[in-house]
Amino acid sequence: MLDRTNSIVFLASFTDACALWRMYYPHLRMPGSSFFCFTNNVKYEHVVGCDVGVVQRCATKPQFELIELMHKLGMKVIFDLDDNVWNIPPSNPAYSILRHHRDGFAACIQMTDVVTVSTNYLAKAVRQNVKSLRHARTGKEIPIVVVENRIDERLCCA
């Protein structure tokens, strides 16, 4: 890996608890990393100089194109998922939005190098809903790594 000031960039999809616990706090524990949340347009100057990009909840064409660009720049891409986006109950406020993006989640996952999920149940859901866990461009297998949600006790204990 090249010696860079910000070799890992965490790209949160929204300013919510998932971004805080699965993106921002890990960023704080990784010297040389950076964290950004682009609610509208990506500021590419914050992304392109990195070796690794960690993304979450990518399902749209612009998000797919960002992942594709990161690969063209030689970056590795990690897709983090904390919810079963393929099985959201109609009572969930996000249901009407997420149900239209099921195929988009799968397409974006197929452009990444690794998928991290919060539970074994979610790993199973990814395997059931992503037809091929092979990178669409390289053909390499995309591993799923379970990274459970944990509280860093140093944040709460003296």
Side-chain angles (χ1 to χ4, degrees), residues 8-44:
I8 300 172
V9 60
F10 289 86
L11 300 172
S13 63
F14 195 69
T15 54
D16 58 8
C18 186
L20 177 68
W21 289 104
R22 297 193 61 82
M23 305 290 273
Y24 185 71
Y25 283 138
H27 144 69
L28 291 178
R29 305 304 307 157
M30 300 183 82
S33 69
S34 56
F35 172 89
F36 298 98
C37 181
F38 304 117
T39 54
N40 291 320
N41 297 319
V42 174
K43 294 186 174 144
Y44 292 101

Side-chain angles (χ1 to χ4, degrees), residues 81-156:
L81 195 56
D82 193 32
D83 296 300
N84 185 346
V85 294
W86 298 279
N87 192 22
I88 300 290
S91 59
N92 187 309
Y95 174 80
S96 62
I97 296 168
L98 294 179
R99 71 185 180 110
H100 296 293
H101 293 293
R102 291 177 182 152
D103 292 337
F105 283 108
C108 286
I109 286 172
Q110 289 174 319
M111 289 297 292
T112 62
D113 299 288
V114 176
V115 176
T116 56
V117 295
S118 55
T119 64
N120 286 318
Y121 167 79
L122 192 48
K124 183 178 177 182
V126 171
R127 286 186 190 95
Q128 289 174 340
N129 290 284
V130 180
K131 291 181 175 76
S132 172
L133 279 170
R134 295 211 166 268
H135 193 286
R137 298 273 190 253
T138 67
K140 292 181 180 179
E141 182 179 352
I142 302 168
I144 300 173
V145 179
V146 177
V147 181
E148 295 178 347
N149 292 328
R150 301 257 187 219
I151 294 175
D152 185 344
E153 292 178 5
R154 293 172 286 194
L155 295 172
C156 346

